[in-house]
Amino acid sequence: MAVDTVGEVDFDRALDVPPLAESHLEGGVRTFDLTMQAGETDLGQGSMTPTWGINGTHLAPTLRAERGEDVQVRVSNGLDEASTLHWHGMHLPAQMDGGPHQMIAPGQTWTPHWRIDQPAASLWYHPHLHGQTARHVYQGLAGMFIIDDQDEAGLDLPRDYGVDDLPLIVQDKKFHDDATLDSSTSFMQSAGITGETVLVNGTPGPYFDVTTHTVRLRILNGSNTRPYNFAFEDDRAFALIGTDGGLLDAPVDLHEVQLSAGERAEIVVAFEPGEQVRLQSGPSDTGDRLAGGADHLDILQFRAGDHLGGVQQVPRELVEVPRIDESTAARTRDFDLSGVSINGQEMDMARIDEVITLGDTEIWNVTNLDGQTHNFHIHDVQFQILDIDGREPPPHLRGWKDTVWLPGGQHIRLIMTFTDYPSTQWPYMYHCHTLRHEDQGMMGQFLIVEPGQSTQPNDYHLQPDRGHGERDH
Ligand code: C2O
Ligand code: CU
Ligand code: CU
């Protein structure tokens, strides 16, 4: 019973574009103020839907900062329960990462600070508390974090935010008749909620008025579960210019791009004057029907004006993406995904699973032992894919990634370097980004330690009561 909404969506609301978050300099530090809050939002259900948002009732403003800048974010929790805010894809100290060890109690403010030190990219942010991430994200807590740098600025790419450069936060929802969010799943759906209503930036049935020849789309799969296979209704080609961690070395022409939960793609698509064309999602390679992998969905309609200006063509070369040399790897680790465990274990906030020596390059062998789909996300680093089931990755998977899709049975080798931020106290996470799996324990913790320190996980002890989240099965 695959879902098919093609032709059923009205496209009668202008696409909402999240505002750019205001910031100011405090002693040279770019400072943002974010407040998590509860409210009600019109999600097209006839009456208002209770939702959560940041500086608003649903979703969150887009943060934007430049490589080299010092930033701080004052995150205030105006909800009546504790939450966290995690900077997905960001290279930063573990203590600032906003994972389950950085809980923010109601009424409290948490102020992480760090230096932006990575290439231009489309990152995002969302809660990441122990056992409750799916619910907090589903209620509406998610936003984009765009990083700029000189290399990107030097390219002739569309970059007028909200005009020819659009964030697209794609999330599927299910509603009860009274317009409240439905988070129920059938007993078969172990991966969690899939809905038939696809919101883009929180807009149901969205259209966008195109005023330029080319438009850059920063697509985020911000859904709890559902993988998408994005394509245009006429199957037109578009240029993939970037993946999770930044731009590619050259654009790759594609007709479709698949994203599992948490992944991003930057694409540039060209329009003809006066045309209308829909962005859709078709069946994905997972074949995982219960996770929505067989569905056809209408997502967003583009309406081109009669006169289109802006950037005409994508540059043929983008940025340098040096390949990490396999022979430089200090060690290899195996991660077997099965059920809701990794290497046979479920998440324990007091247990360290892996200890990594600062400066090392490592190869991570990630294997999905199941028939169902999983994915794999690593905090702090951007990695490269060495091979997929023993074969070289296709061109669109050769750039920087922080989350990678593993359809059932797949084996992937990743390579990454741990360049900064040693700590014996504060761990980073790695996990499946299917949020229900993550909540149920499909996550582990790693420390980065100074050379010469023990790499035995048992030598390190965290305070078990530092996070206060409850488990939810
Ligand atoms: Cu987007 Cu550990 O998360
Ligand atoms: Cu993350
Ligand atoms: Cu999973």
Side-chain angles (χ1 to χ4, degrees):
M1 15 141 266
V3 172
D4 189 346
T5 67
V6 172
E8 314 264 289
V9 178
D10 285 338
F11 298 115
D12 54 1
R13 288 205 199 188
L15 175 74
D16 196 42
V17 176
L20 288 172
E22 282 173 32
S23 64
H24 61 274
L25 292 176
E26 275 183 22
V29 179
R30 182 163 302 287
T31 304
F32 299 91
D33 287 283
L34 299 182
T35 303
M36 301 173 171
Q37 58 190 86
E40 293 192 319
T41 308
D42 176 3
L43 297 180
Q45 298 301 304
S47 50
M48 299 294 271
T49 299
T51 52
W52 289 355
I54 292 173
N55 298 359
T57 64
H58 190 228
L59 298 179
T62 299
L63 303 189
R64 196 150 193 169
E66 210 162 308
R67 184 169 197 173
E69 270 189 312
D70 291 316
V71 299
Q72 64 176 344
V73 191
R74 282 194 288 255
V75 185
S76 302
N77 184 353
L79 301 169
D80 54 19
E81 59 182 284
S83 191
T84 78
L85 217 47
H86 163 62
W87 320 104
H88 180 129
M90 195 74 74
H91 176 52
L92 81 182
Q95 196 175 352
M96 309 299 169
D97 193 37
H101 296 278
Q102 286 91 37
M103 293 294 280
I104 316 167
Q108 297 294 301
T109 299
W110 172 64
T111 310
H113 56 89
W114 69 95
R115 175 164 296 172
I116 303 287
D117 186 18
Q118 65 194 93
S122 301
L123 312 182
W124 68 300
Y125 62 101
H126 61 81
H128 205 301
L129 59 174
H130 192 50
Q132 301 282 345
T133 294
R135 187 166 59 85
H136 284 223
V137 173
Y138 194 65
Q139 293 280 342
L141 299 180
M144 300 279 289
F145 198 136
I146 296 176
I147 293 179
D148 299 306
D149 72 5
Q150 299 284 320
D151 293 342
E152 189 276 342
L155 294 167
D156 190 19
L157 287 171
R159 64 168 64 74
D160 192 353
Y161 186 82
V163 177
D164 63 4
D165 182 355
L166 301 177
L168 299 182
I169 303 173
V170 181
Q171 299 175 307
D172 59 332
K173 303 283 180 193
K174 250 182 10 176
F175 296 94
H176 294 291
D177 287 342
D178 65 358
T180 58
L181 284 167
D182 180 353
S183 31
S184 65
T185 50
S186 85
F187 72 98
M188 299 283 288
Q189 285 184 296
S190 58
I193 309 161
T194 56
E196 302 191 6
T197 304
V198 181
L199 305 179
V200 184
N201 301 337
T203 316
Y207 68 85
F208 180 74
D209 284 319
V210 174
T211 59
T212 55
H213 180 60
T214 57
V215 177
R216 175 186 193 166
L217 304 174
R218 302 173 188 258
I219 308 174
L220 158 65
N221 180 353
S223 303
N224 281 34
T225 304
R226 182 187 281 285
Y228 295 85
N229 186 0
F230 294 104
F232 291 88
E233 63 177 302
D234 59 357
D235 207 33
R236 72 183 54 193
F238 52 82
L240 179 80
I241 60 167
T243 50
D244 302 335
L247 296 174
L248 301 174
D249 53 5
V252 177
D253 277 340
L254 296 177
H255 295 264
E256 56 181 34
V257 61
Q258 306 198 31
L259 297 178
S260 64
E263 288 185 287
R264 286 88 65 211
E266 282 191 36
I267 68 172
V268 176
V269 57
F271 296 98
E272 294 302 322
E275 71 170 343
Q276 296 196 348
V277 63
R278 287 169 293 173
L279 176 68
Q280 301 176 323
S281 177
S284 59
D285 286 349
T286 61
D288 197 331
R289 302 178 84 83
L290 293 165
D295 298 350
H296 283 94
L297 303 164
D298 258 353
I299 295 182
L300 168 61
Q301 184 189 50
F302 292 91
R303 301 177 180 175
D306 290 332
H307 302 283
L308 304 178
V311 175
Q312 295 298 309
Q313 235 167 14
V314 183
R316 285 154 167 279
E317 286 177 14
L318 298 170
V319 299
E320 256 181 81
V321 183
R323 296 299 296 169
I324 307 178
D325 181 356
E326 209 181 313
S327 70
T328 62
R331 64 175 285 182
T332 298
R333 296 173 201 262
D334 294 327
F335 298 88
D336 290 342
L337 313 181
S338 175
V340 293
S341 66
I342 299 177
N343 292 339
Q345 287 194 297
E346 291 175 14
M347 168 78 166
D348 178 343
M349 284 184 59
R351 184 189 71 229
I352 291 299
D353 299 284
E354 310 290 337
V355 181
I356 292 158
T357 302
L358 179 68
D360 275 2
T361 293
E362 297 201 352
I363 294 170
W364 287 19
N365 271 316
V366 188
T367 308
N368 181 353
L369 298 176
D370 291 341
Q372 67 168 323
T373 179
H374 293 293
N375 69 8
F376 196 74
H377 167 50
I378 312 176
H379 288 209
D380 179 49
V381 290
Q382 293 289 337
F383 52 75
Q384 292 176 351
I385 300 172
L386 286 174
D387 42 51
I388 302 173
D389 286 336
R391 286 186 302 274
E392 262 200 49
H396 65 280
L397 290 176
R398 289 197 196 147
W400 296 112
K401 296 282 294 167
D402 56 50
T403 307
V404 63
W405 191 355
L406 287 100
Q410 199 164 76
H411 167 67
I412 288 198
R413 287 196 316 142
L414 311 175
I415 190 164
M416 74 294 291
T417 307
F418 299 87
T419 53
D420 295 289
Y421 311 128
S423 167
T424 58
Q425 290 296 309
W426 300 98
Y428 295 102
M429 312 292 136
Y430 55 86
H431 58 90
C432 176
H433 215 289
T434 301
L435 297 182
R436 160 126 12 132
H437 293 171
E438 172 181 344
D439 281 346
Q440 290 184 339
M442 203 163 200
M443 175 151 59
Q445 311 193 92
F446 67 95
L447 290 173
I448 300 175
V449 301
E450 300 277 6
Q453 287 184 304
S454 166
T455 53
Q456 291 307 310
N458 292 338
D459 288 341
Y460 297 91
H461 302 280
L462 305 179
Q463 292 146 268
D465 58 349
R466 204 162 45 195
H468 310 287
E470 304 264 50
R471 289 289 291 277
D472 181 22
H473 281 276

